[in-house]
């Protein structure tokens, strides 16, 4: 049986090529994902480990989580803690670390580093005058206010050198500093494309902390002292709200954080690799079904001379194993190339990756081979089992035994049950709010499988609907329709491959378009301000109150309010207080009140959103105990209850009330209205007023909406690219089906040629058949995609009340056109091959 399997593989090389390609693409995606994520993770881990080389023990603030502790952050470390750590037994040296945000502008005035990680820190010279964390390659370290040193990658990107001036924004206002030095560093953020600017320690403390205070203290052990021994010694001299951690533990935690961060990306990419493999399963099942059908007499003869059912099935599975192994090896090699390409693309996009080798882990090799072989073998099992069950005498008499009525009834019954159960679960999940994700996921899977099982039944009426159009093409059109429904199972399997890809693409497009509409509506309904001003970057950053004061002096500004955020303990729970200007806020935000109004805001009277009110059973007049950020206690009174939205929610109170309790007074946003509304001239004026600051964002309603939606747009574009893999595999499936169908109908095609159908007619027949099958899959995919898009939207609407279902008719039409294009392209080679068949040789073929 082994020799027979090998002979059959070698005898059907061309027909198995599409199967190899389908499996290879899926395996390549899996291997490429693993190689890429392992390479990036390894590079960052090694880079972070380098950054901890000079740190044996790190001391950091440790906030005690108890009711007596202040709601604010733990206090920073003092100079006294640094001195004690430096004198601890086994300590060789110690230096204080100060860090914060420092946005740098290039010579054109644009933000360097794209806001990813714009960090400012301090240069802390030891006894030898050097800071072991940084090596100066040009100039010297900063020593006085107004001096700054840049990391070498930032200096290269911004074309700065020692002696140049650079514009810097720490918390809003622009500062002009002199670059006195350029240094190298192993900082992982810098390696990833961020920027690092160093000040002298005194200046850094004034900018990022408080005089004499540090964010962290790093200690280097003396020769012969272990990290554990040094940590034990330092623990004895630390104050209560401080903790010591060994460098090894920090490196390990950092590595774990990097691994966790990469795991989500890896999981997302592997999902799409799985989709490509899932689509490939249809091709494999199709291929082996047709190969087995063409060899029915051969298999029957084997049964007649003594082969058992198991041996016949085993021979088919052996063929699948060989095919899967070849595809897995080729896919692994291609995956290594994909991993290298993805890293190159990431680097070229500006997100620099630390240098390091391409990592091809043993698990990557094992997973790739197993995936390729297992997927192929499992897909070939059903055709092999079906072949073994055909009685030898029946197989000898009929090459193509039609499915029994009982088999079709069972299939259609199972498909109907699965589809109905899937629809019921999806609809019920849509009505369950946040708890409906599980039922909806199971329902979606059941519905897709149910539709796949029912596609042979669905193919006849849907393809029959195309008859009026196909009649326009004469006899080739009529033959194409008949060929498409001749073998419903094969047509269904071919169309299902395309259906899966289009279902996902359509569903995500519906969700993305509906979310964009909901976000636009949210911004329009929730904001009355013309502009929202905040610090740039990927994470919220504090902004100096000077920004608001500067903008308030602009004559065109008619109303302005700073928004300040302060952690607090409210009625025993940790919460956040939002400080606003009580006189201006009513002109800047739009909320509906269930009780009270903006007029009640002021002093210790606050406004709360309806969710907080319902949770705590508060209403107008309720008194709320509060512990402020600085630890002082007080009582607040509910003056009004409003309906919260995505733009404004939580506990609002007067800035004059919350500001005295803030350890560092800073705004997270400034809202303002202007005389002429939101115009480009006004925006340019505001930018100019703030000194063309590259670190500050000035956004109107549309800008705010676009920023929120940009993450979804980016994700959607990535998904389109990833799902393109599934569409490519689906194209291979259509080509494979048509090519093998042409082979198996060689005699019929020869007869058609003999009775007068010319080569152009044969080509047209095959192309129309391919077009009909592709459009059949496209219609099913679009229908399922719209249904899933609606259902997912019902879940999203619980978190985004302004969500509104939008059907992107233009894109749906484009997707249908794409399905038709898939059919046309897939038919090119099979149609050409069919038209070139020698009619006499084809008629004589057995």
């Amino acid at each position: 049986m082994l020799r027979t399997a090998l002979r059959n593989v070698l005898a059907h090389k061309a027909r198995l090529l599409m199967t190899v390609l389908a499996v290879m693409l899926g395996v390549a995606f899996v291997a490429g994902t693993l190689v890429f994520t392992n390479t990036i993770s390894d590079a960052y881990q090694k880079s972070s480990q380098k950054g901890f080389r000079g740190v044996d023990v790190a001391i950091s603030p440790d906030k005690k989580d108890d009711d007596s502790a202040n709601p604010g952050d733990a206090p920073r470390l003092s100079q006294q803690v640094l001195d004690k750590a430096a004198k601890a037994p086994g300590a060789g040296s110690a230096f204080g670390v100060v860090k914060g945000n420092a946005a740098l502008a290039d010579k054109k005035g644009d933000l360097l580093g794209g806001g990813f990680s714009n960090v400012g820190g301090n240069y802390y010279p030891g006894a030898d005058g050097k800071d072991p964390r940084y090596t100066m390659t040009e100039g010297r370290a900063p020593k006085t206010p107004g001096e700054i040193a840049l990391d070498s990658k930032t200096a290269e990107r911004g074309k700065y050198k020692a002696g140049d001036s650079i514009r810097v924004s720490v918390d809003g206002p622009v500062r002009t500093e002199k670059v006195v030095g350029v240094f190298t560093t192993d900082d992982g953020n810098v390696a990833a494309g961020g920027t690092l600017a160093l000040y002298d320690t005194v200046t850094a403390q004034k900018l990022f902390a408080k005089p004499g205070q540090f964010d962290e203290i790093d200690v280097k052990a003396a020769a012969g002292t272990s990290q554990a021994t040094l940590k034990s010694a330092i623990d004895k001299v630390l104050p209560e709200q401080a903790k010591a951690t060994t460098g090894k533990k920090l490196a390990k935690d950092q590595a774990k954080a990097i691994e966790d961060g990469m795991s989500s990306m890896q999981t997302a990419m592997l999902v799409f690799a799985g989709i490509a493999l899932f689509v490939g399963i249809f091709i494999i099942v199709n291929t082996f079904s047709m190969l087995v059908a063409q060899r029915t007499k051969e298999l029957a003869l084997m049964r007649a001379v003594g082969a058992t059912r198991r041996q016949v099935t085993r021979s088919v599975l052996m063929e699948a194993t060989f095919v899967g192994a070849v595809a897995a090896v080729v896919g692994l090699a291609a995956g290594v190339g994909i991993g290298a390409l993805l890293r190159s693309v990431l680097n070229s996009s500006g997100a620099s990756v630390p240098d390091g080798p391409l990592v091809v882990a043993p698990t990557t090799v094992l997973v790739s081979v197993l995936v390729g072989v297992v997927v192929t073998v499992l897909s070939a099992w059903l055709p092999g089992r079906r072949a073994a069950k055909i009685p030898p005498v029946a197989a000898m008499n009929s090459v193509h035994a039609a499915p029994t009525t009982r088999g079709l009834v069972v299939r259609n019954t199972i498909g109907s049950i699965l589809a109905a159960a899937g629809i019921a679960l999806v609809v019920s999940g849509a009505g369950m709010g946040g708890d409906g994700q599980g039922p909806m996921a199971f329902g979606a899977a059941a519905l897709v499988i149910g539709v796949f099982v029912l596609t042979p039944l669905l193919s006849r009426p849907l393809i029959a609907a195309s008859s009026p159009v196909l009649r326009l093409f004469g006899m080739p059109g009529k033959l194409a329709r008949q060929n498409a429904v001749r073998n419903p199972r094969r047509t269904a399997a071919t169309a299902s491959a395309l259906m899966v890809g289009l279902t996902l693409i359509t569903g995500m497009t519906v969700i993305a378009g509906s979310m964009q509409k909901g976000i636009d509506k949210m911004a329009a309904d929730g904001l009355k301000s013309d502009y929202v001003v905040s610090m740039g970057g990927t994470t919220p950053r504090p902004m100096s109150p000077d920004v608001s004061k500067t903008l308030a002096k602009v004559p065109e500004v008619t109303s302005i309010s700073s928004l300040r955020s302060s952690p607090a303990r409210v009625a025993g729970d940790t919460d956040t207080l939002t400080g606003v200007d009580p006189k201006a806020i009513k002109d800047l935000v739009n909320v509906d009140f269930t009780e009270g109004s903006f007029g009640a805001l002021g002093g210790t009277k606050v406004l709360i959103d309806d969710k907080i009110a319902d949770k705590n059973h508060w209403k107008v007049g309720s008194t709320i105990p509060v512990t402020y950020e600085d630890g002082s206690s007080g009582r607040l009174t509910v003056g009004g209850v409003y309906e919260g939205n995505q733009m404004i929610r939580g506990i609002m109170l007067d800035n004059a009330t919350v500001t005295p309790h803030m350890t560092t007074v800073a705004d997270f946003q400034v809202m303002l209205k202007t005389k002429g509304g939101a115009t480009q001239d006004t925006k340019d004026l505001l930018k100019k007023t703030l000194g063309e600051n590259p670190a500050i964002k000035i956004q109107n309603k549309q800008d705010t909406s676009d920023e929120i939606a940009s993450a979804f747009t980016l994700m959607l574009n990535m998904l389109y690219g990833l799902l393109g893999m599934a569409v490519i595999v689906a194209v291979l499936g259509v080509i494979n089906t048509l090519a093998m169908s042409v082979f198996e109908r060689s005699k019929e095609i020869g007869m058609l040629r003999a009775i007068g159908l010319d080569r152009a007619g044969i080509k047209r027949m095959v192309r129309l058949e391919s077009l009909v099958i592709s459009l059949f899959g496209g219609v099913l995919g679009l229908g399922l995609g719209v249904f899933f898009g609606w259902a997912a939207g019902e879940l999203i609407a619980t978190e985004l009340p302004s969500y509104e279902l939008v059907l992107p008719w233009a894109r749906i039409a484009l997707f249908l056109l794409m399905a038709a294009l898939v059919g046309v392209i897939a038919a090119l080679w099979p149609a050409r091959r069919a038209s070139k068949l020698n009619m006499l040789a084809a008629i004589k073929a057995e």
Side-chain angles (χ1 to χ4, degrees):
M1 298 307 292
L2 179 62
R3 286 197 300 272
T4 302
L6 282 171
R7 179 179 62 79
N8 285 325
V9 169
L10 295 174
H12 301 104
K13 296 188 292 291
R15 286 178 241 172
L16 290 170
L17 178 61
M18 294 300 175
T19 297
V20 171
L21 285 174
V23 179
M24 183 269 289
L25 284 173
V27 172
F29 206 170
V30 171
T33 296
L34 295 175
V35 169
F36 171 67
T37 51
N38 288 341
T39 298
I40 301 301
S41 180
D42 182 72
Y44 279 124
Q45 286 180 18
K46 288 180 177 177
S47 176
S48 67
Q49 287 170 359
K50 289 179 183 177
F52 291 117
R53 281 179 183 172
V55 181
D56 288 313
V57 174
I59 304 171
S60 58
D62 182 27
K63 179 174 168 54
K64 304 300 179 184
D65 190 14
D66 57 60
D67 293 340
S68 62
N70 294 346
D73 295 331
R76 291 184 171 91
L77 306 170
S78 65
Q79 183 67 43
Q80 288 79 4
V81 177
L82 174 58
D83 294 339
K84 288 180 180 180
K87 295 175 183 177
S93 60
F95 52 92
V97 178
V98 183
K99 52 190 173 184
N101 295 306
L104 308 174
D106 62 17
K107 293 187 176 180
K108 294 180 181 179
D110 296 326
L111 183 65
L112 275 168
F116 161 68
S117 178
N118 305 118
V119 178
N122 68 311
Y123 188 91
Y124 192 92
D128 58 356
K130 297 180 181 179
D131 188 327
R133 299 170 295 172
Y134 313 110
T135 302
M136 288 291 164
T137 58
E138 181 185 345
R140 59 173 177 79
K143 296 179 180 178
T144 61
E147 294 182 343
I148 198 173
L150 303 178
D151 70 86
S152 56
K153 291 190 175 182
T154 298
E156 182 181 352
R157 287 199 302 267
K159 299 180 180 179
Y160 286 110
K161 61 181 184 299
D164 290 344
S165 294
I166 185 171
R167 298 170 72 239
V168 185
S169 176
V170 173
D171 58 358
V174 177
R175 305 163 58 91
T176 300
E177 315 283 15
K178 181 180 180 182
V179 179
V180 295
V182 177
F183 60 90
T184 58
T185 176
D186 292 320
D187 190 297
N189 287 325
V190 172
T195 63
L196 177 59
L198 298 181
Y199 291 88
D200 66 279
T201 298
V202 174
T203 303
Q205 287 175 329
K206 290 179 180 177
L207 293 174
F208 308 127
K210 290 184 178 180
Q213 293 187 344
F214 301 97
D215 295 297
E216 185 179 298
I217 294 171
D218 294 339
V219 186
K220 180 72 175 174
T225 303
S226 68
Q227 291 188 355
T229 302
L230 178 59
K231 179 183 179 301
S232 298
I234 290 177
D235 281 337
K236 296 175 182 178
V237 299
L238 287 182
E240 182 182 357
Q241 289 194 320
K243 65 177 180 180
T245 310
T246 63
K248 288 181 181 178
K249 178 72 164 52
L250 289 173
K252 184 178 179 181
D253 291 345
Q254 181 79 355
K256 181 67 168 59
I258 293 170
E259 185 179 339
D260 291 344
M262 295 301 297
S263 66
S264 57
M265 179 193 297
Q266 187 181 77
T267 301
M269 294 177 70
L270 286 175
V271 165
F272 293 100
I275 291 169
L277 284 168
F278 180 66
V279 173
I281 287 173
F282 297 114
I283 298 176
I284 302 167
V285 172
N286 248 2
T287 301
F288 279 95
S289 295
M290 286 186 274
L291 286 175
V292 167
Q294 291 165 13
R295 289 163 42 208
T296 303
K297 286 187 176 181
E298 176 190 325
L299 295 174
L301 183 60
M302 291 172 61
R303 289 285 312 282
V305 297
T308 64
R309 285 185 176 183
R310 288 187 178 180
Q311 285 178 314
V312 171
T313 304
R314 200 177 301 138
S315 70
V316 176
L317 296 183
M318 285 178 184
E319 293 178 42
T321 302
F322 294 135
V323 171
V326 171
V329 171
V330 177
L332 175 62
V336 174
I338 290 173
L341 178 64
L342 288 173
R343 183 172 69 170
S344 177
V345 169
L346 195 64
N347 279 326
S348 63
S349 67
S352 303
V353 178
D355 295 330
L358 207 62
V359 178
V360 184
T363 53
T364 301
V365 177
L366 182 62
V367 167
S368 300
V369 173
L370 283 177
V371 164
V373 173
V374 170
V375 166
T376 310
V377 170
L378 288 178
S379 302
W381 176 78
L382 187 60
R385 183 173 177 272
R386 190 183 300 143
K389 290 178 71 176
I390 300 176
V393 175
M396 291 277 193
N397 293 330
S398 177
V399 175
H400 303 292
T404 64
T405 303
R406 179 176 176 275
L408 292 174
V409 170
V410 171
R411 177 180 180 130
N412 293 337
T413 302
I414 292 173
S416 300
I417 292 172
L418 284 172
I423 292 172
L425 282 170
V426 170
V427 172
S428 62
M432 293 170 64
D435 299 326
Q437 295 180 3
M440 187 175 290
F442 283 112
L447 179 55
V448 169
I449 295 171
V451 171
F452 166 64
V453 174
L454 286 173
T455 39
L457 180 66
L458 297 173
S459 63
R460 290 186 179 277
L462 288 178
I463 292 176
S466 65
S467 295
V469 177
L470 291 176
R471 286 198 194 103
L472 300 176
F473 296 93
M475 185 55 66
K478 182 179 179 181
L479 291 171
R481 185 187 67 79
Q482 292 175 347
N483 289 334
V485 297
R486 176 184 296 182
N487 191 330
R489 287 186 175 181
R490 183 188 306 162
T491 297
T494 305
S496 295
L498 191 59
M499 176 192 78
V500 172
L502 281 179
T503 295
L504 292 166
I505 291 175
T506 305
M508 290 172 184
T509 302
V510 169
I511 293 170
S514 302
M515 286 199 71
Q516 179 67 66
K517 181 73 177 290
I519 291 167
D520 288 344
K521 190 172 185 295
M522 175 188 70
D525 294 347
L527 289 177
K528 291 165 70 175
S529 64
D530 293 321
Y531 295 101
V532 176
V533 181
S534 61
M535 296 294 289
T538 55
T539 55
R541 290 163 48 191
M543 183 168 57
S544 170
D546 292 341
V547 173
S548 176
K549 293 176 182 176
T550 302
L551 292 172
K553 296 176 183 177
V554 177
E556 281 76 5
V557 174
T558 58
S559 184
I560 186 169
S561 173
S562 300
L563 275 69
R564 293 174 183 168
S565 178
S566 177
R569 186 165 284 105
V570 180
D573 295 327
T574 301
D575 212 325
T576 301
L577 303 176
T578 302
V580 298
D581 183 329
K583 295 180 180 178
I585 194 65
K586 63 180 182 295
D587 299 324
L588 302 171
V589 297
N590 187 25
V591 294
D592 295 324
F593 282 85
T594 57
E595 287 186 276
S597 67
F598 277 119
L601 182 61
T604 58
K605 284 192 174 182
V606 301
L607 305 179
I608 60 175
D609 68 48
D610 50 351
K611 289 186 178 179
I612 294 177
D614 292 342
K615 176 185 174 183
N616 295 280
H617 306 290
W618 292 337
K619 57 185 179 180
V620 171
S622 296
T623 303
I624 308 170
V626 59
T627 302
Y628 293 102
E629 184 179 347
D630 60 358
S632 60
S633 299
R635 302 190 77 81
L636 302 173
T637 303
V638 177
V641 179
Y642 65 93
E643 295 179 5
N645 55 50
Q646 295 293 316
M647 303 305 297
I648 190 76
R649 62 173 68 180
I651 303 173
M652 276 193 284
L653 74 166
D654 191 340
N655 269 330
T657 303
V658 71
T659 300
H661 301 289
M662 297 176 68
T663 54
T664 301
V665 179
D667 302 330
F668 69 89
Q669 276 183 351
V670 174
M671 292 183 175
L672 55 94
K673 283 185 75 70
T674 56
K675 290 179 181 177
T679 65
Q680 188 59 47
D681 289 341
T682 304
K683 190 173 183 178
D684 292 340
L685 174 63
L686 296 176
K687 284 185 177 180
K688 186 176 181 181
T689 302
L690 295 175
E692 301 289 344
N693 195 320
I696 292 181
K697 296 186 298 187
I698 301 175
Q699 298 176 305
N700 57 27
K701 292 179 185 179
Q702 190 58 50
D703 294 333
T704 303
S705 176
D706 290 345
E707 182 181 51
I708 298 171
S710 63
F712 302 107
T713 304
L714 176 63
M715 180 183 70
L716 185 66
N717 291 335
M718 288 178 62
L719 296 182
Y720 281 159
L722 294 171
L723 289 170
M725 179 74 74
V727 175
I728 291 172
V729 176
V731 172
L732 293 177
V734 179
I735 295 173
N736 195 36
T737 298
L738 290 174
M740 299 191 77
S741 178
V742 166
F743 176 83
E744 130 185 324
R745 285 158 35 205
S746 296
K747 189 172 184 177
E748 176 188 320
I749 292 172
M751 289 293 294
L752 289 171
R753 289 289 316 284
I755 62 176
L757 191 62
D758 59 10
R759 289 186 173 182
I762 295 291
K763 284 184 178 179
R764 192 175 300 118
M765 177 187 72
V766 176
R767 288 171 183 164
L768 289 173
E769 180 184 350
S770 175
L771 183 63
V772 166
I773 292 173
S774 296
L775 286 175
F776 170 53
V779 169
L780 288 179
L782 292 175
L784 287 174
V786 170
F787 177 65
F788 290 145
W790 163 80
E794 293 298 301
L795 293 185
I796 295 171
T798 60
E799 297 296 326
L800 183 65
S802 57
Y803 182 91
E804 182 179 332
L805 180 66
V806 175
L807 294 181
W809 295 110
R811 289 204 178 188
I812 288 175
L814 181 64
F815 295 155
L816 193 61
L817 183 63
M818 184 181 72
L821 186 62
V822 165
V824 172
I825 293 173
L828 291 177
W829 178 64
R832 185 170 178 272
R833 185 184 178 200
S835 68
K836 287 196 169 187
L837 283 175
N838 184 295
M839 68 179 77
L840 294 178
I843 291 171
K844 290 191 299 180
E846 286 293 335

